[in-house]
Amino acid sequence: MKTIFKTQLALLLLLAVGLVSARFAPAGYKVGDTVQDFSLKNVDGKMISLASNSQVKGYIITFTCNTCPVAKLYEERIIALNQKYASKGYPVLAIQPNDQGISPGDSYDLMQKRAKDKKYAFPYLVDETQAIAQTFGATNTPHVFVVKKEGDKFKVAYIGAIDNNSQDASQATKKYVEEAVDELLQGKAVTTPSAKAIGCSIKWKKA
């Protein structure tokens, strides 16, 4: 009798865990998904969408911000990614997803200042409603989504970290984004299509 009870209890616990996991399963894009186009305001006041540049082969979409210490550590690497790959058809699109009420350092004015001070050569877009971050399933800053253009659509080819050493770029032994884009440019499948994004949690609006 005790054995039957224990078995039933275990099944109930597993069912409960499963329901909780399902309820809080992370939403957002998976590798291979088609990305919906969006339109967000750049720091120059213009609206930018994926379709804005018809010449691209894809984008390195990077959720980042002014204030996260990890995002700051990766800032030069994001700039370098754009320098290396924009001319090859994979420019960076940076998106600031934090709620500016919770994180005043990520205000639009300070985004403009940051982009000017660091001479960003790529769009730095503000996701005021956070709808795009939610649609992508972005959780951290930085959090990268490499998308590849197929016809008139963009498909997710890589999700995650830029490399495997947030503290020191020179010590990174895996450069996930570079490897992914290089393989896409060579017409190959991405060997490592995802890696855990390391950084600060996105500052979501309070319900």
Side-chain angles (χ1 to χ4, degrees):
M1 188 67 179
K2 286 184 178 179
T3 301
I4 294 173
F5 176 75
K6 287 180 179 178
T7 301
Q8 290 176 333
L9 180 61
L11 288 172
L12 286 172
L13 286 171
L14 285 172
L15 180 60
V17 169
L19 288 173
V20 170
S21 298
R23 181 176 297 176
F24 295 101
Y29 293 128
K30 304 291 186 294
V31 171
D33 285 352
T34 298
V35 175
Q36 288 185 325
D37 204 353
F38 53 79
S39 183
L40 293 175
K41 188 167 71 172
N42 191 18
V43 288
D44 64 2
K46 296 179 180 177
M47 302 303 289
I48 298 290
S49 69
L50 295 178
S52 294
N53 186 344
S54 61
Q55 304 301 311
V56 299
K57 299 174 182 175
Y59 289 102
I60 302 170
I61 299 172
T62 306
F63 291 87
T64 187
C65 67
N66 288 1
T67 54
C68 170
V70 182
K72 290 179 181 179
L73 286 171
Y74 272 112
E75 187 175 38
E76 293 298 329
R77 281 173 264 186
I78 294 168
I79 292 170
L81 283 171
N82 188 67
Q83 290 173 339
K84 182 173 182 179
Y85 291 111
S87 62
K88 298 178 180 178
Y90 278 86
V92 166
L93 272 185
I95 300 174
Q96 197 296 99
N98 285 339
D99 177 61
Q100 298 172 26
I102 297 174
S103 182
D106 291 313
S107 70
Y108 185 67
D109 288 347
L110 292 178
M111 286 176 61
Q112 291 177 308
K113 183 178 186 305
R114 189 76 184 183
K116 183 178 180 182
D117 290 348
K118 301 300 290 188
K119 297 181 172 59
Y120 286 178
F122 48 83
Y124 189 25
L125 312 175
V126 58
D127 183 11
E128 288 181 298
T129 66
Q130 303 184 310
I132 306 306
Q134 292 178 5
T135 299
F136 271 75
T139 56
N140 296 1
T141 52
H143 197 160
V144 177
F145 295 74
V146 176
V147 299
K148 176 188 175 185
K149 190 175 184 181
E150 294 185 7
D152 60 351
K153 300 183 184 301
F154 289 88
K155 291 199 171 184
V156 179
Y158 172 80
I159 301 174
I162 291 172
D163 59 34
N164 67 348
N165 194 319
S166 61
Q167 299 299 310
D168 186 350
S170 68
Q171 298 300 310
T173 57
K174 292 289 292 182
K175 297 183 178 181
Y176 302 116
V177 172
E178 288 193 35
E179 290 170 7
V181 177
D182 284 342
E183 288 173 336
L184 291 172
L185 288 170
Q186 295 167 26
K188 299 178 179 177
V190 175
T191 303
T192 305
S194 64
K196 185 177 181 181
I198 303 297
C200 307
S201 298
I202 290 175
K203 308 302 182 291
W204 300 107
K205 295 178 186 295
K206 293 180 180 177

